[in-house]
Amino acid sequence: MSHESLFTPVKLGALALPNRILMAPLTRCRADAEHVPTPIMAEYYAQRASAGLLIAEATMVIEGNSAFGGREPGIRSPAQVAAWKKVTDAVHAKGGRILLQLWHGGRACHSLLNNGAQPVAPSPLRIENDETHTPQGKKPYEVPRELRDDELPGIVAGFRHAAANAQAAGFDGVEVHGANGYLLDEFLRSGSNQRKGPYGGSLANRARLLLEVTDAVIGVWGADRVGVRLSPLNSYNFMKDDDPVALIRHAATELNRRRLAYLHLMRGDFFGLQKADVVPPARQAFQGALVGNMGYTPAEAAAAISAGTLAAVAFGHHFISNPDLVARVRQGLPLVEPDAATFYSPGPRGYTDYPVHA
């Protein structure tokens, strides 16, 4: 057996997993124009049900906050809940376990995707280093509207309602998306949060919305079926923090008090702009199950698990192109590289047509 520690069972809160190879949340834009999951999504996730845990893609908790060309799923309407139920049923029929990632796009949204609605954020600072896909082609990101303090309870309520809908859709738990430059991460990091008052300035204030959302979701699911994903270094979506080590130490300390199922830590930066080792301070502050993500090889993942640093590792792009990733790693078989041109394109090509190894 290759990398034996990857194939030992583990408990993340109430979630009993048969192995420690998790599927990271991956936005694939295969929902329909009403943000309703499609039948092909049930096939896609069921193909990958051998993962210790599937973490389904970023899913809108509040309608009118599309950030991925209009084809990301939601979890607000009865039609969305019913369609997700077909996904969870397909995964469970294969013996798998699946969580839903709860997400608000924040300033990464665009008015052309949302019936003219201006995107919202902690501060009126736009994403300056990229453009986004809209029905009128690629467009610059817009300057977002700064959310008022009295609007933030509505954001929390949106996450709470989405968590209840995820329960109705048959998920095994939920992950709060606090990473990658979307709304909760925008509040966390100093480069995007320059507001005054109870949600700006100090680390405690900048983390307030994330923790209020997490508490609301725990109120629906119980802490042992809730995870949180953080990316203190990732500069994707024009993000930066003045002290990412202090940020992860504070956030992990606060989340540790909540006895979550797990903390999902993206350890690096897609673009290599911010550099630090955020795993040790997270491990020191968070005594529960720590899930690592970003660039782990199976050998490195197995070593981190054997050392007790991580409870499991979430793999991303290799799960796109290797639906049987667990079997391939176990048997030492070669891994297929994904076709990036099909990451967000419609239809089965590059989605459900990757074969298992002969």
Side-chain angles (χ1 to χ4, degrees), residues 73-162:
I75 188 66
R76 291 289 295 179
S77 72
Q80 291 165 350
V81 172
W84 272 122
K85 184 66 166 62
K86 295 178 181 178
V87 175
T88 62
D89 284 348
V91 170
H92 292 151
K94 290 287 189 72
R97 296 138 300 277
I98 183 168
L99 305 189
L100 185 65
Q101 191 184 60
L102 304 178
W103 167 79
H104 188 301
R107 69 179 184 177
C109 301
H110 197 283
S111 62
L112 290 174
L113 296 169
N114 296 292
N115 296 317
Q118 184 181 7
V120 296
S123 300
L125 303 168
R126 74 180 184 94
I127 298 171
E128 295 183 3
N129 63 344
D130 201 1
E131 295 184 326
T132 188
H133 293 278
T134 78
Q136 297 179 19
K138 290 198 79 172
K139 297 286 184 180
Y141 285 96
E142 298 166 308
V143 175
R145 178 178 66 80
E146 181 173 320
L147 284 162
R148 303 185 311 272
D149 288 349
D150 64 4
E151 292 180 280
L152 298 182
I155 300 290
V156 175
F159 275 90
R160 182 187 296 111
H161 182 61

Side-chain angles (χ1 to χ4, degrees), residues 104 122 129 203 214 225 256 278 304 307 342 349:
H104 188 301
N129 63 344
L203 259 176
T214 301
R225 289 187 180 270
N256 183 65
V278 294
T342 63
R349 182 168 170 265

Side-chain angles (χ1 to χ4, degrees), residues 53 105 125 132 240 255 263 268 297 304 353:
L53 181 66
L125 303 168
T132 188
K240 186 178 181 181
L255 293 170
L263 172 59
T297 64
D353 62 347

Side-chain angles (χ1 to χ4, degrees), residues 127-333:
I127 298 171
E128 295 183 3
N129 63 344
D130 201 1
E131 295 184 326
T132 188
H133 293 278
T134 78
Q136 297 179 19
K138 290 198 79 172
K139 297 286 184 180
Y141 285 96
E142 298 166 308
V143 175
R145 178 178 66 80
E146 181 173 320
L147 284 162
R148 303 185 311 272
D149 288 349
D150 64 4
E151 292 180 280
L152 298 182
I155 300 290
V156 175
F159 275 90
R160 182 187 296 111
H161 182 61
N165 280 349
Q167 222 170 33
F171 285 94
D172 299 297
V174 292
E175 179 178 280
V176 174
H177 195 343
N180 294 346
Y182 301 110
L183 186 68
L184 299 182
D185 192 27
E186 291 162 19
F187 270 86
L188 270 178
R189 292 204 255 177
S190 59
S192 50
N193 184 345
Q194 297 179 12
R195 66 193 290 126
K196 308 295 184 183
Y199 292 89
S202 69
L203 259 176
N205 284 356
R206 299 199 321 262
R208 189 183 306 275
L209 183 62
L210 171 73
L211 297 175
E212 288 179 349
V213 164
T214 301
D215 289 341
V217 171
I218 287 171
V220 174
W221 278 95
D224 59 0
R225 289 187 180 270
V226 173
V228 173
R229 194 184 204 205
L230 300 176
S231 62
L233 293 173
N234 200 5
S235 61
Y236 181 74
N237 276 331
F238 200 57
M239 294 297 290
K240 186 178 181 181
D241 190 78
D242 291 335
D243 192 344
V245 172
L247 185 153
I248 192 60
R249 184 179 291 118
H250 175 80
T253 298
E254 290 298 319
L255 293 170
N256 183 65
R257 295 192 176 106
R258 286 150 173 87
R259 301 185 180 277
L260 299 176
Y262 65 87
L263 172 59
H264 186 177
L265 179 63
M266 300 179 71
R267 63 175 177 170
D269 179 0
F270 286 160
F271 305 109
L273 300 178
Q274 290 204 288
K275 299 181 186 297
D277 190 353
V278 294
V279 176
R283 177 69 287 167
Q284 183 179 21
F286 189 79
Q287 303 305 306
L290 185 63
V291 174
N293 175 240
M294 287 189 80
Y296 284 90
T297 64
E300 187 185 11
I305 291 166
S306 296
T309 305
L310 301 177
V313 172
F315 293 87
H317 79 285
H318 274 137
F319 250 123
I320 290 175
S321 47
N322 299 273
D324 56 342
L325 181 63
V326 174
R328 287 179 187 249
V329 173
R330 182 189 288 269
Q331 297 171 43
L333 298 171

